Amino acid sequence: ATRTPVPTAITTPSSVKAGIGALEFTDGYPKGETAEKLRDHLDYLHGVETLMNTIQGVSVFAIRKAFLEAGIEDGDVAIFSELMDSRTLALTANADTVYFWTFLDLSQGPLVLETPTDTLGLLDDMWFRWISDFGLPGADRGQGGKYLVVGPGHDGPLPEGGYYARHSRTNHVLLVGRAFINENPGDDPAPTVARIKQELKIYPYAAGGLGSSIGAYLTGKGPLGQPAAPTSPRFVEGTGLAINTIAPNDFGHYEMLDALVQLEPAEALDVELAGQFAAIGIVKDEKFAPGERLRKILDEAAAVGNAASRTLGVGAHPNEGFRYYDGETAWFNGLFVGGFEFTNPPPEITPDGIKPYPNKGARRLHSRTWMFYIATCITPAMCMRLTGVGSQYLQASVDADGEPFDGAKTYRLSLPKDIPAARFWSINLYDNQTRSLLQTPQLYPRAGSQEYPSPAATAEADGSTVIYCSPTRPDDVPPGNWIQTDPERGWFTLLRLYSPLQPFFDKTWRPGEFELVS
């Protein structure tokens, strides 16, 4: 035989039937409109993938943009002295803790961060990649500490010690802290706010100062300088701040993505991810200016990408493995399938120590899309199976019959006794569209164990706690057991457990489902 047999599987038929129409080939060469049709479809696919896989970065950019437009510059700290209420549009923020938010700019050199005591804090880069915790889960373990935050490409001298050194792949870094009020008399936030304002310091690192020895200078290993003077940042009041920190769901997503790409070094990007949006014209140091054809395609890609992201965000795909309990349940958390890096589940905590899961070597893309479509910030403390530290969350978007929540109806939720939270627990309601605290005359749409900013929930005689969600408070329901809804708006909820206890992790304690009250 002079010819090697050609398997059919390695050839392209003359006509291929596909969802985008018939694709025609002349002995493998695309003919007629086939090449143009496939070019358009590839642009569409890249557009959908780009939106779904860049929500995290565009979200951080949108927060910083909102801060800057409100006059909160990099290094200024927005502090929510009376907690965050529904006037601030921010993805699933809580109305239970004192927030303090800022962006650090490392482009001029490393910064020193002196952290306040007894907080839950984190540093994330502009792609919502975790850099460090501080506070109770951090290296300072809640005692307060000095963190040295170093930007990309820094080649100057660094100290021998004296700091917890942390490196960022982006020049701008998001700092978010949460501080507690439950140990203050009357759950008053004022003492907590005063402590943050007194203890939080942000200032440039002075090379050759603190952390650099005279011996290092004498042996030519570094410069000699004076220690920097700790500086308090400018604090801006956040409570009641009517700003929008949420990224657009339309073509504006791509424009904001382009602005982020131009803001940060090319090395800040993962090359495979960057390749998706480079394919539609978003490239470092190049102008993003899609023509009429591509713009039309990207409008549709944005609509479909947002629809798919929203579907993941409300947990409407039961086969994702997001559900926290067996059987029929609305309660879910997508972090437990991939952990804070969206690769492997968080390790089990056993009497013999940490038991990690086998590395599958794959990013759980749908978990990441869910997380950043409905929430902000990432840290291992969000999904660790460790009792008494951090916080745990369960989301519910439907009632016991699997129907989405209707703001015009009344729902009843029963939480069994001994709610497994050593510090406190809460339920917050969120607007389906904005994914922010639900806006009603009740500025703090919450119920929980704290008596501020709304009355504490009252337990039943059997120890259980019953929460009602409805437009008006039902008769005989205490004010602290009712969360107001808007008849014109759908909603979803997050149950938060601060310093969670073992019954949450072993699932011997389980919240009820939302029952529709006729």
Side-chain angles (χ1 to χ4, degrees):
T2 58
R3 294 193 176 203
T4 302
V6 178
T8 303
I10 71 170
T11 66
T12 301
S14 60
S15 181
V16 177
K17 292 182 179 180
I20 59 173
L23 306 176
E24 307 292 339
F25 297 88
T26 300
D27 196 21
Y29 186 86
K31 66 180 182 180
E33 298 178 352
T34 292
E36 184 177 343
K37 189 182 298 183
L38 286 170
R39 177 196 60 176
D40 290 353
H41 193 57
L42 279 175
D43 286 339
Y44 169 76
L45 293 176
H46 289 310
V48 172
E49 289 290 314
T50 290
L51 187 138
M52 295 184 70
N53 290 329
T54 61
I55 287 174
Q56 65 277 25
V58 175
S59 180
V60 191
F61 188 91
I63 298 169
R64 181 171 178 266
K65 182 173 183 287
F67 275 35
L68 293 174
E69 290 174 349
I72 306 171
E73 301 294 330
D74 293 339
D76 294 344
V77 177
I79 187 165
F80 293 78
S81 298
E82 296 179 34
L83 312 191
M84 191 179 292
D85 64 36
S86 58
R87 288 172 288 188
T88 302
L89 297 183
L91 293 176
T92 53
N94 71 66
D96 309 302
T97 62
V98 175
Y99 275 116
F100 53 102
W101 293 61
T102 187
F103 283 87
L104 309 178
D105 183 357
L106 307 175
S107 62
Q108 302 305 307
L111 292 175
V112 177
L113 169 66
E114 295 188 13
T115 61
T117 55
D118 199 27
T119 58
L120 282 175
L122 58 88
L123 299 171
D124 284 346
D125 76 5
M126 288 297 289
W127 283 93
F128 264 140
R129 292 175 296 216
W130 179 64
I131 298 171
S132 179
D133 289 328
F134 65 85
L136 293 166
D140 64 288
R141 301 300 291 274
Q143 301 300 304
K146 290 185 174 70
Y147 289 78
L148 182 65
V149 191
V150 184
H154 176 74
D155 58 1
L158 292 175
E160 301 159 62
Y163 302 92
Y164 307 116
R166 301 291 185 262
H167 294 262
S168 171
R169 290 174 63 183
T170 59
N171 279 319
H172 297 86
V173 169
L174 172 64
L175 179 155
V176 177
R178 292 166 292 159
F180 304 112
I181 64 174
N182 63 292
E183 294 179 353
N184 301 336
D187 293 331
D188 179 9
T192 300
V193 171
R195 188 181 76 248
I196 295 168
K197 288 185 173 181
Q198 179 183 354
E199 297 177 351
L200 179 62
K201 311 291 182 187
I202 302 172
Y203 52 95
Y205 166 67
L210 184 68
S212 300
S213 67
I214 299 294
Y217 168 68
L218 294 175
T219 55
K221 296 177 182 177
L224 187 62
Q226 295 300 314
T231 305
S232 296
R234 171 178 174 253
F235 287 94
V236 179
E237 182 52 58
T239 300
L241 190 62
I243 61 174
N244 170 40
T245 69
I246 301 166
N249 289 332
D250 56 10
F251 180 79
H253 177 102
Y254 302 114
E255 294 176 308
M256 203 168 275
L257 171 63
D258 178 63
L260 172 58
V261 169
Q262 305 311 327
L263 177 70
E264 296 293 345
E267 292 76 18
L269 290 167
D270 295 316
V271 292
E272 291 288 338
L273 179 61
Q276 290 182 351
F277 38 90
I280 57 172
I282 298 175
V283 181
K284 178 72 174 174
D285 295 330
E286 295 184 16
K287 184 175 177 58
F288 176 53
E292 183 179 351
R293 178 197 69 84
L294 182 56
R295 172 60 195 264
K296 182 179 179 181
I297 290 170
L298 291 180
D299 282 339
E300 181 181 354
V304 172
N306 172 65
S309 301
R310 172 168 288 277
T311 300
L312 293 169
V314 298
H317 283 166
N319 60 343
E320 294 291 343
F322 290 178
R323 290 295 181 272
Y324 191 65
Y325 301 102
D326 294 333
E328 293 296 320
T329 181
W331 297 106
F332 74 98
N333 183 327
L335 285 179
F336 283 102
V337 304
F340 79 101
E341 292 181 304
F342 310 102
T343 50
N344 303 304
E348 297 287 344
I349 309 296
T350 74
D352 298 322
I354 295 290
K355 181 182 177 183
Y357 282 81
N359 184 6
K360 302 293 185 181
R363 187 83 66 199
R364 299 298 294 260
L365 297 177
H366 289 180
S367 175
R368 184 175 66 187
T369 298
W370 157 76
M371 175 67 194
F372 293 115
Y373 193 83
I374 62 103
T376 60
C377 306
I378 197 68
T379 159
M382 279 181 159
C383 63
M384 59 186 175
R385 307 179 204 265
L386 194 60
T387 59
V389 183
S391 48
Q392 287 294 338
Y393 313 82
L394 291 177
Q395 179 180 346
S397 305
V398 295
D399 65 16
D401 297 320
E403 295 296 322
F405 295 121
D406 183 339
K409 297 179 179 179
T410 298
Y411 299 88
R412 178 183 186 273
L413 170 68
S414 180
L415 301 173
K417 68 176 183 178
D418 299 326
I419 297 172
R423 193 177 281 272
F424 70 92
W425 64 270
S426 74
I427 289 273
N428 285 245
L429 296 197
Y430 301 96
D431 184 302
N432 275 350
Q433 293 287 0
T434 68
R435 293 94 77 201
S436 303
L437 288 165
L438 186 64
Q439 294 190 336
T440 70
Q442 192 182 60
L443 280 178
Y444 300 94
R446 67 170 291 280
S449 55
Q450 293 185 159
E451 56 182 295
Y452 184 93
S454 56
T458 303
E460 303 285 299
D462 64 357
S464 65
T465 302
V466 180
I467 305 298
Y468 287 84
C469 303
S470 58
T472 58
R473 180 159 58 97
D475 295 340
D476 302 325
V477 172
N481 293 62
W482 170 64
I483 309 176
Q484 188 173 21
T485 60
D486 180 347
E488 303 297 322
R489 313 292 291 182
W491 57 271
F492 67 97
T493 189
L494 286 178
L495 167 64
R496 287 178 167 87
L497 306 173
Y498 286 88
S499 297
L501 301 174
Q502 189 58 33
F504 170 77
F505 295 107
D506 63 24
K507 304 179 184 178
T508 54
W509 183 89
R510 176 172 175 168
E513 304 295 319
F514 282 87
E515 303 288 345
L516 185 62
V517 178
S518 59

